[in-house]
Amino acid sequence: KQWYQRRVRGVQFSVNKMLQTTILFCCLALTVVAQPPPSGPTITVKDQKAKKGGSLHFTFSVASEKQELEYAKVHLAKATGDQKFVKARFDLAFAGDKHKIDVSVSGENITCDDQGGYLAYYNRIPPPPAKQLGPGPPSGGFRISVQGCK
């Protein structure tokens, strides 16, 4: 009888653990699904590579179905070591319409100082996310690697 009671308690404990885990998983799934869509436009940009002393040319896009976009509100900033941003030194040229802007970025005489993290953003720099949802940079974030630099 004692062996039977221990066995029943062990099974009961496992069922309770499974139920708790299932409830936790469902709550987490609902939290992810219930998150609102990003408030600003979608910014699509990829990591870039350049040669030291060379030039850099690439494009990125800013798109929104909900709001009309303005060229003057598209910016590019470089991350500093103290987790702040400064205006990137590259030239920006714009093409597109009210709902999609293609941005051409160009820079000459690339140096090791140009290497690092960058953020393309619309209107103002967004606040850091409360939780990073997966690996990689935030939306609009990318890296420039300069060949010949550490």
Side-chain angles (χ1 to χ4, degrees):
K1 186 173 180 178
Q2 247 181 354
W3 174 84
Y4 176 74
Q5 286 176 344
R6 280 192 213 143
R7 181 86 169 134
V8 170
R9 284 187 192 132
V11 170
Q12 183 64 38
F13 176 74
S14 296
V15 170
N16 282 342
K17 266 301 199 206
M18 284 177 38
L19 184 60
Q20 288 173 350
T21 304
T22 303
I23 291 171
L24 178 63
F25 178 74
C26 289
C27 289
L28 287 173
L30 286 173
T31 302
V32 171
V33 171
Q35 296 223 351
S39 59
T42 301
I43 299 174
T44 307
V45 62
K46 294 182 179 180
D47 287 350
Q48 303 296 317
K49 293 182 181 179
K51 289 184 179 180
K52 185 176 176 182
S55 60
L56 175 69
H57 302 281
F58 67 95
T59 60
F60 67 90
S61 65
V62 181
S64 176
E65 294 179 14
K66 295 180 181 177
Q67 72 184 97
E68 292 187 2
L69 303 173
E70 299 174 33
Y71 297 159
K73 292 185 177 183
V74 178
H75 305 281
L76 183 62
K78 183 178 190 309
T80 63
D82 56 357
Q83 298 181 356
K84 295 188 180 180
F85 291 93
V86 296
K87 184 179 178 200
R89 72 174 190 90
F90 305 120
D91 296 322
L92 306 179
F94 305 98
D97 57 36
K98 295 184 236 179
H99 295 286
K100 184 176 182 201
I101 299 174
D102 293 314
V103 184
S104 296
V105 180
S106 60
E108 303 298 325
N109 195 25
I110 301 301
T111 68
C112 292
D113 288 338
D114 294 320
Q115 181 167 273
Y118 287 79
L119 182 65
Y121 64 95
Y122 186 79
N123 199 23
R124 49 189 135 134
I125 294 178
K131 240 194 256 183
Q132 184 71 24
L133 300 175
S139 177
F142 67 100
R143 180 167 178 74
I144 294 177
S145 299
V146 179
Q147 190 176 21
C149 300
K150 292 182 181 183

